[in-house]
Amino acid sequence: MNDLYSRHRQVMPDWLALYYDEPIEITHGEGRHVWDSAGNKYLDFFGGILTTMTAHALPEVTKAVSEQAGRIIHSSTLYLNRPMVELAERIAQVSGIPDARVFFTTSGTEANDTALLLATAYRRSNTVLAMRNSYHGRSFSTVGITGNRGWSPTSLSPLQTLYVHGGVRTRGPFAELDDRAFIDACVADLKDILGHTRPPAALIAEPIQGVGGFTSPPDGLYAAFREVLQEHGILWIADEVQTGWGRTGEHLWGWQAHAHSGPPDLVTFAKGIGNGTSIGGVIARAEIMNCLDANSISTFGGTQLTMAAGLANLTYLLEHDLQGNARRVGGLLIERLRAVAAQLPGVREVRGRGLMIGIELVKPGTDEADPRAAAAVLEAAREGGLLIGKGGGHNTSALRIAPPLSLTVAEAEEGAAILERALRSTY
């Protein structure tokens, strides 16, 4: 492993982060478990950054990929593609967007990049509203709208970005307000911004901020925003790259917690739909999707191999009600973790819903983020046989827990026990 790490450092960028003081190579997985090259077995509570959504080596997906690879792997969007059309039909059906059109990409970054292109072309404006503490990808345009300093390496951007409040409930100038007053204050902030600028193209927002540490506003905030946006003709882009496909348990889409104003104008997705294969995409009503007046194709977006995987994966998820499982098992897990947190002075908050849970760590007796402790817990959890992630705003001090949605109650209890030991060893 040390040899592979040395080789990695010789050919990969310095900014390509690796977890752990001694990075591990994951060689194979099954269900909710993975193994490293040294033979160590881990319970996977991060799923390749929320990407292994159903299970590792899910037989239905493996079979679909193998059979498709035996026929044809790729032809580009210049030719009719049956698996792409079939998956687009299923996605349009469950999207909640009327007269929906679907465009496939290879990643969430590219999906958000496409949504920004569509919105700015449709609205003829390069101004975009984004949330503070947000993350939307690593391309030039998506870095330019990311509201998280730790993931935005340049201030240069093709877009003018204006950041509004609301993505973080328990920090910032409105944190002490109750939910209704919090929403009112964020809406007032939005109205104030719109009074000082030319009308933006769109607001892009994650229903639950992923890289930001699984933070979220009170339910209904984006519905309240939507009412204001519609007065100005501004589009709403829901970034569902991490929240989509039932991960939050209560809904198939994160935006549905803010649904009384209707669906977003555009929804972006990726990660879990492919269960590890490279799928991203945009859903939009036809009027918006068809607004481009120049040629466009996708070489690898919608390729037959990934579409076969996505169709098998989505079918499995819906037929086995993994959304319901995320709600039930996730509810038990978050309550178990909250009981642990109540005994530890360094845990500021346990938050989230479904199987998307964040644990924010602070220096005991303060409200100051503690990235050192987060790194220590990450290491201790790995040593105990559990893989988790981390994130956060100004400092990476939130633990991110996002297992495959097929997680069992026994596995949730096992992971919680390992995490409890890791937290207690740190504090």
Side-chain angles (χ1 to χ4, degrees), residues 150-164:
W151 291 89
S152 186
T154 177
S155 61
L156 300 175
S157 174
L159 303 168
Q160 178 184 5
T161 308
L162 305 172
Y163 295 100
V164 295

Side-chain angles (χ1 to χ4, degrees), residues 107-414:
S107 68
T109 289
E110 191 186 350
N112 284 330
D113 201 64
T114 302
L116 293 169
L117 170 65
L118 290 168
T120 53
Y122 182 79
R123 291 276 296 150
R124 298 187 179 278
S125 168
N126 76 328
T127 302
V128 172
L129 298 166
M131 306 302 295
R132 300 181 186 189
N133 195 51
S134 59
Y135 175 82
H136 298 288
R138 50 153 299 280
S139 67
F140 188 44
S141 68
T142 55
V143 161
I145 62 167
T146 286
N148 186 319
R149 172 64 185 86
W151 291 89
S152 186
T154 177
S155 61
L156 300 175
S157 174
L159 303 168
Q160 178 184 5
T161 308
L162 305 172
Y163 295 100
V164 295
H165 287 289
V168 182
R169 177 65 184 90
T170 62
R171 287 188 180 273
F174 307 142
E176 302 305 318
L177 302 175
D178 63 33
D179 283 355
R180 182 66 259 170
F182 181 93
I183 291 174
D184 289 344
C186 292
V187 169
D189 174 63
L190 173 62
K191 289 180 177 178
D192 182 66
I193 287 177
L194 295 178
H196 293 282
T197 185
R198 297 181 64 83
L203 165 73
I204 185 169
E206 305 155 272
I208 298 177
Q209 295 183 327
V211 170
F214 292 172
T215 63
S216 62
D219 288 357
L221 173 74
Y222 294 119
F225 276 4
R226 184 77 188 285
E227 294 176 3
V228 177
L229 299 176
Q230 287 179 321
E231 293 175 3
H232 298 269
I234 301 168
L235 303 178
W236 173 25
I237 304 169
D239 178 345
E240 298 271 359
V241 168
Q242 297 195 33
T243 50
W245 316 112
R247 177 160 291 281
T248 65
E250 296 173 13
H251 306 99
L252 187 68
W253 302 102
W255 66 259
Q256 289 172 304
H258 310 266
H260 70 253
S261 64
D265 298 290
L266 303 96
V267 170
T268 62
F269 61 86
K271 291 191 181 288
I273 182 63
N275 204 46
T277 59
S278 299
I279 303 176
V282 182
I283 316 163
R285 66 178 190 268
E287 177 187 8
I288 297 171
M289 186 67 82
N290 294 335
C291 76
L292 301 184
D293 61 0
N295 294 327
S296 192
I297 63 167
S298 182
T299 302
F300 289 109
T303 195
Q304 285 92 333
L305 193 70
T306 61
M307 295 295 97
L311 188 59
N313 192 49
L314 182 57
T315 298
Y316 184 92
L317 178 139
L318 295 173
E319 290 182 350
H320 291 80
D321 189 25
L322 294 194
Q323 176 188 327
N325 192 66
R327 182 179 64 253
R328 292 185 295 271
V329 180
L332 294 172
L333 180 56
I334 196 169
E335 290 307 316
R336 169 78 163 81
L337 293 174
R338 282 174 174 160
V340 172
Q343 306 170 39
L344 298 172
V347 179
R348 181 178 184 270
E349 182 181 23
V350 178
R351 55 184 176 243
R353 53 181 30 160
L355 286 173
M356 191 172 185
I357 302 169
I359 303 176
E360 185 177 345
L361 305 182
V362 292
K363 296 177 181 177
T366 76
D367 209 29
E368 184 180 348
D370 195 348
R372 179 206 60 80
V377 174
L378 200 79
E379 292 281 355
R382 182 196 60 78
E383 291 171 8
L386 179 71
L387 303 185
I388 59 175
K390 59 181 179 176
H394 299 293
N395 292 290
T396 305
S397 60
L399 307 175
R400 294 201 287 163
I401 299 163
L405 303 191
S406 57
L407 186 75
T408 67
V409 172
E411 289 165 342
E413 179 58 37
E414 177 190 354

Side-chain angles (χ1 to χ4, degrees), residues 59-142:
E60 288 82 352
V61 172
T62 301
K63 180 182 177 183
V65 169
S66 177
E67 291 180 350
Q68 183 60 56
R71 293 190 294 269
I72 188 169
I73 292 176
H74 168 76
S75 65
S76 88
T77 57
L78 290 172
Y79 305 92
L80 285 172
N81 179 331
R82 189 174 301 274
M84 182 170 69
V85 172
E86 290 176 350
L87 183 55
E89 288 172 338
R90 294 295 300 275
I91 291 173
Q93 182 183 24
V94 301
S95 71
I97 294 177
D99 195 20
R101 299 292 187 273
V102 182
F103 177 77
F104 289 107
T105 67
T106 61
S107 68
T109 289
E110 191 186 350
N112 284 330
D113 201 64
T114 302
L116 293 169
L117 170 65
L118 290 168
T120 53
Y122 182 79
R123 291 276 296 150
R124 298 187 179 278
S125 168
N126 76 328
T127 302
V128 172
L129 298 166
M131 306 302 295
R132 300 181 186 189
N133 195 51
S134 59
Y135 175 82
H136 298 288
R138 50 153 299 280
S139 67
F140 188 44
S141 68
T142 55

